[in-house]
Amino acid sequence: MPKTEEEKGFVDIVDSRYKPKGVFHIIEANQPIYNKDTGKLAGVTNPRDMTYIHTYGGEAIFFESLGKGRLMASRCDNEKCETKGSVYEPFRIFCPDCLRKNTVVDITEKAQKTAKIHSFIITHRSGAFNTLPKPIKFINVEFDEEVVTILMSVLVVGEPEMGKIVVPIFRTKSPTYTIMDLMFVVEGTTESELPEGFTF
Amino acid sequence: MIKFSDKQLKIPKLMRPVYLATVGMSKFDRAFPETRIEELCIDALTAAADFVNMTPSELKKYIHTCYYGHFADHFGDQLLGEAVIHDRLGLDPLGNIGVKTGGATGGSAMWEAVKAVASGYSDCALALGWERMDEVPTDEGNHLISCAADKDWETPLGHIYTGYYAVMAQRYWKIFGKEEDSFRNTMAEVAVKNRGYARMNPHAQGPMKITVEDVINSPIVAYPLRVLDCCLMSVGSACGIVCDEKTAYEITDKPLRIYIAAGSHTLRVADRRDMKIPLLPNEKPNQYDDLGKRFPGGNRYPGFTGFLAARMSAYYAYNMSGVVDPTEDLDLVELHDAFTISDIQTYEDIGIRPYGEGRDYIESGDAYVINPHTKKPGKLPSNPCGGLIGCMHAVGATGLMQIAEIGYHIWNRWDEIHEPEEKWKAFGREKPKDWTNLQVKGAKRGLAISHAGVGSHVTCTILMDPNNLIKED
């Protein structure tokens, strides 16, 4: 059952400290586990409901930008780095080679023009806490040559195929500030076909 | 493009020879509702003592440090579980440490134990692993496993690890398998072979007498992978004890030489950058220059089709031990068959076959104890215990179970562990009427691959009869 507003946990940062308010864990009694054949006690359940607090650190700009309809990546601009000019998506705060801080770059237009499917998989299975409609169409997206990595995401309109052109869409209405605010659709999809809350 | 320096490619050196003195393992099953994990760990260590005709108390007197492989604290809901097991095994106040590298945890625990002995810190070290995956419902179990992916970039996408893994299978299937029915059949053959071998193993959780058609008609998990293409989810424990030469011969008159090395690669498949294929001793420069021509799309390495960590662990371990060609130099292998297709990918990563030609290892019959085409012994039998598909995948124990199984063959005592009627009865399992001895005759050298996730960590262990080493110390 979804939690009421009173049962949820919220966090702000004030003076560089977390300030939690609301409910972060709900206590529920344990229950015995009996062996129905022998009538003997085997163990107990340990119910637990808790909310974690998590920082995005230097990746926060990526997740915040999704809700604004922008796809941010990062690029190594260190003149002395052997892999200078490499663009990373997934976004990396630091260059994996020289360990200097990368420059944040907006690749929204690049993604709109060059994104294509590198690999994909369709699965009807999911784990607990999944909110994606099934079957889930996982895709791995490659961009132009400057982007040296291959982003994992999901395709929500159209059928996946290796090499097929896809376009990013963003949850700009009520963003979740998670990777779930970025999805892809096949080229040619219209605005009216997008899932609720998403825009190009 | 990433490059390695000469220093990074240095061949690891053990400062003194290390020997595997004994091994043991528990029964493996999907659930043990009335058994604590420490009971299974004690079963494994007791089996190791039995194997060298000692009591557990006698064997424990040799142990100096302990390396525990247990991956998923959140499954067991117990932090510092290593301290619990260490205490229950009665090994306090010895130094111990927990090792966590996903599916490679068992192999990594052994890696640490071997280094402790090689350095001289310990003369005898215990590597023991376990996993408990039965105390949450399966969908929550899937979520917990998906936490081994990147929690911000991958886990929220379906909370299903298979989805993150299977994109690699899909790419291999299309590029190297060319989506051929014949390749689909070859994948299925791996499942038929391994589940069939598991029928001869009383420890095994998933024995099945099945056909290629059964595999191909089993429910789809993520196309092209079907239920019978996938490994088991298990509970159980396994261990191995490694020593310097003097101590090893005090415990047993037949210790085995052990070499082990490790490699790694990105947690997210997404982060893999293009690079030149590092070559193994049986490969030639320029061998893969035309790979992209022969298999369009196969020119990006490791891309989604190879496991760089497996290749690097084999590179280090082969050069440490003198192995040049695994098919010629080894007598059997235990591979990490998490999925039928990843098993085939690994044949290429560790040089049993060149990249793009892994399927031939199965199709030729080389991977069988008895080659189905020639009815003669297979050249390099793979996973006679049933592997992860047929025997078990109790994550922290898996790599150690594989090492134990290779050891049983080289010790020529495989039937002693797998045949006794009493063991089948004690485990509540029915011994098949057609039980067959799968002992690889004359086995002197073997290899085990312990592999994590999408290839984040891999260890390569090589065991050899000390009278049949390839390389002089």
Side-chain angles (χ1 to χ4, degrees):
Chain A
M1 186 180 292
K3 290 179 179 176
T4 63
E5 286 299 301
E6 291 73 38
E7 290 172 330
K8 290 180 185 171
F10 300 90
V11 182
D12 289 318
I13 298 174
V14 179
D15 294 335
S16 298
R17 294 191 175 195
Y18 285 124
K19 294 286 179 194
K21 63 181 176 194
V23 179
F24 277 76
H25 61 272
I26 298 170
I27 299 169
E28 187 184 328
N30 60 284
Q31 302 294 330
I33 300 170
Y34 280 102
N35 181 328
K36 285 284 185 191
D37 299 325
T38 64
K40 289 184 177 169
L41 179 75
V44 291
T45 64
N46 283 322
R48 194 167 309 137
D49 182 324
M50 55 192 283
T51 299
Y52 280 79
I53 301 169
H54 172 52
T55 178
Y56 281 137
E59 291 184 4
I61 190 168
F62 171 85
F63 291 100
E64 189 173 22
S65 298
L66 295 179
K68 297 173 185 167
R70 308 306 298 176
L71 184 62
M72 310 306 277
S74 67
R75 183 182 62 220
C76 178
D77 286 336
N78 179 7
E79 292 294 339
K80 293 178 181 169
C81 181
E82 283 182 18
T83 53
K84 176 185 174 286
S86 295
V87 174
Y88 297 96
E89 190 69 282
F91 185 104
R92 298 178 77 106
I93 305 165
F94 294 93
C95 168
D97 295 321
C98 66
L99 300 186
R100 290 273 292 271
K101 205 155 193 177
N102 279 343
T103 306
V104 177
V105 291
D106 185 334
I107 63 163
T108 313
E109 279 75 32
K110 186 196 290 281
Q112 285 164 342
K113 287 179 194 149
T114 69
K116 64 179 179 183
I117 296 175
H118 181 76
S119 190
F120 67 93
I121 203 74
I122 301 172
T123 181
H124 289 261
R125 301 193 178 214
S126 67
F129 311 112
N130 170 54
T131 54
L132 287 168
K134 287 188 268 189
I136 303 169
K137 297 166 187 170
F138 288 110
I139 56 169
N140 306 88
V141 183
E142 53 181 78
F143 303 99
D144 71 7
E145 283 175 0
E146 284 182 343
V147 182
V148 296
T149 49
I150 299 171
L151 178 71
M152 171 165 274
S153 188
V154 290
L155 186 73
V156 285
V157 177
E159 292 306 314
E161 202 175 298
M162 272 164 52
K164 195 179 248 187
I165 303 290
V166 288
V167 180
I169 58 169
F170 303 91
R171 196 192 307 262
T172 51
K173 293 167 195 162
S174 303
T176 64
Y177 305 104
T178 71
I179 197 67
M180 301 289 281
D181 292 345
L182 172 67
M183 295 183 188
F184 283 79
V185 296
V186 295
E187 189 182 32
T189 301
T190 61
E191 192 94 32
S192 63
E193 294 176 280
L194 301 188
E196 197 180 336
F198 279 82
T199 54
F200 283 109
Chain B
M1 180 74 78
I2 55 176
K3 294 175 189 164
F4 301 113
S5 71
D6 291 345
K7 287 185 173 62
Q8 291 167 331
L9 292 174
K10 168 195 176 285
I11 304 308
K13 182 171 169 52
L14 303 178
M15 299 307 288
R16 58 176 176 169
V18 182
Y19 292 80
L20 181 69
T22 185
V23 295
M25 56 193 188
S26 71
K27 173 187 176 182
F28 302 111
D29 216 334
R30 174 68 185 89
F32 285 89
E34 295 181 88
T35 308
R36 289 176 72 94
I37 196 67
E38 70 215 47
E39 298 175 59
L40 298 173
C41 293
I42 288 171
D43 285 349
L45 187 58
T46 302
D50 287 345
F51 193 66
V52 286
N53 298 314
M54 285 187 183
T55 64
S57 303
E58 288 167 341
L59 182 60
K60 283 197 298 174
K61 285 191 170 66
Y62 289 92
I63 297 170
H64 181 250
T65 50
C66 304
Y67 302 85
Y68 292 125
H70 171 228
F71 174 49
D73 289 330
H74 54 353
F75 262 107
D77 197 17
Q78 171 69 65
L79 290 182
L80 275 183
E82 297 83 4
V84 176
I85 299 300
H86 192 65
D87 166 53
R88 302 303 193 274
L89 292 173
L91 286 165
D92 286 314
L94 303 179
N96 74 83
I97 193 165
V99 178
K100 296 183 194 311
T101 58
T105 295
S108 299
M110 181 57 84
W111 187 43
E112 291 304 309
V114 166
K115 288 186 291 183
V117 172
S119 69
Y121 186 97
S122 294
D123 291 337
C124 178
L126 167 69
L128 183 141
W130 66 88
E131 208 70 49
R132 169 121 246 169
M133 305 179 83
D134 59 340
E135 295 200 324
V136 293
T138 301
D139 67 335
E140 288 181 25
N142 280 331
H143 161 69
L144 293 180
I145 293 169
S146 78
C147 294
D150 186 298
K151 74 183 209 175
D152 290 329
W153 292 78
E154 296 172 325
T155 306
L157 301 174
H159 300 255
I160 182 81
Y161 200 86
T162 316
Y164 322 141
Y165 197 104
V167 290
M168 294 188 296
Q170 180 74 244
R171 184 103 185 150
Y172 188 94
W173 160 247
K174 287 183 179 292
I175 291 175
F176 292 110
K178 298 182 176 175
E179 299 182 80
E180 293 171 355
D181 288 344
S182 59
F183 181 70
R184 178 51 268 196
N185 288 351
T186 301
M187 287 167 59
E189 290 283 1
V190 175
V192 172
K193 172 176 79 71
N194 293 0
R195 288 178 195 275
Y197 287 160
R199 293 179 61 242
M200 312 305 159
N201 183 356
H203 295 264
Q205 172 192 335
M208 286 177 97
K209 195 171 188 175
I210 51 170
T211 63
V212 165
E213 289 69 36
D214 292 331
V215 180
I216 290 172
N217 293 324
S218 64
I220 290 178
V221 175
Y223 186 83
L225 297 174
R226 293 170 181 270
V227 166
L228 291 175
D229 285 300
C230 303
C231 69
L232 303 161
M233 188 187 275
S234 315
V235 180
S237 176
C239 71
I241 289 182
V242 287
C243 310
D244 70 325
E245 187 169 288
K246 179 174 174 293
T247 312
Y249 280 98
E250 287 174 23
I251 293 174
T252 174
D253 56 2
K254 280 187 132 180
L256 306 179
R257 278 294 293 273
I258 182 167
Y259 306 87
I260 184 166
S264 71
H265 205 198
T266 58
L267 176 70
R268 294 184 297 222
V269 188
D271 291 317
R272 294 179 173 183
R273 291 180 287 165
D274 197 16
M275 62 178 291
K276 204 167 174 212
I277 299 176
L279 298 178
L280 294 179
N282 64 341
E283 294 174 327
K284 294 181 176 61
N286 309 324
Q287 175 171 341
Y288 293 116
D289 286 357
D290 64 345
L291 193 62
K293 198 177 282 180
R294 287 187 286 132
F295 300 97
N299 48 340
R300 185 177 175 123
Y301 182 82
F304 282 30
T305 52
F307 295 113
L308 175 62
R311 170 130 297 216
M312 293 311 296
S313 70
Y315 163 83
Y316 291 127
Y318 289 177
N319 285 294
M320 281 171 87
S321 63
V323 169
V324 175
D325 184 339
T327 311
E328 296 301 323
D329 295 337
L330 302 174
D331 299 305
L332 79 154
V333 294
E334 283 286 344
L335 305 180
H336 188 95
D337 53 333
F339 302 98
T340 51
I341 202 161
S342 61
D343 200 50
I344 295 172
Q345 289 171 271
T346 302
Y347 308 156
E348 302 171 4
D349 294 318
I350 66 169
I352 293 174
R353 291 291 188 278
Y355 279 112
E357 297 170 37
R359 59 189 288 179
D360 180 67
Y361 178 46
I362 292 293
E363 291 166 359
S364 65
D366 284 357
Y368 290 77
V369 176
I370 297 296
N371 185 321
H373 310 303
T374 65
K375 310 298 177 199
K376 291 180 179 167
K379 239 178 160 180
L380 185 66
S382 149
N383 296 18
C385 74
L388 283 66
I389 285 177
C391 178
M392 69 83 146
H393 190 20
V395 182
T398 305
L400 291 158
M401 176 279 287
Q402 296 171 305
I403 291 169
E405 285 285 344
I406 293 287
Y408 294 137
H409 285 278
I410 303 177
W411 276 308
N412 196 25
R413 292 174 68 182
W414 189 90
D415 53 344
E416 185 186 316
I417 300 298
H418 300 82
E419 181 173 24
E421 199 73 46
E422 316 83 73
K423 182 180 275 185
W424 287 87
K425 281 194 182 134
F427 286 174
R429 288 175 173 153
E430 195 176 338
K431 187 176 176 183
K433 291 196 169 50
D434 61 346
W435 186 88
T436 308
N437 188 350
L438 298 179
Q439 168 71 47
V440 174
K441 292 190 173 57
K444 303 295 181 201
R445 305 181 196 125
L447 166 153
I449 291 290
S450 188
H451 173 125
V454 294
S456 64
H457 303 72
V458 176
T459 64
C460 177
T461 304
I462 294 173
L463 298 181
M464 292 189 190
D465 176 318
N467 296 320
N468 286 273
L469 303 182
I470 299 175
K471 197 175 184 176
E472 295 282 323
D473 289 325

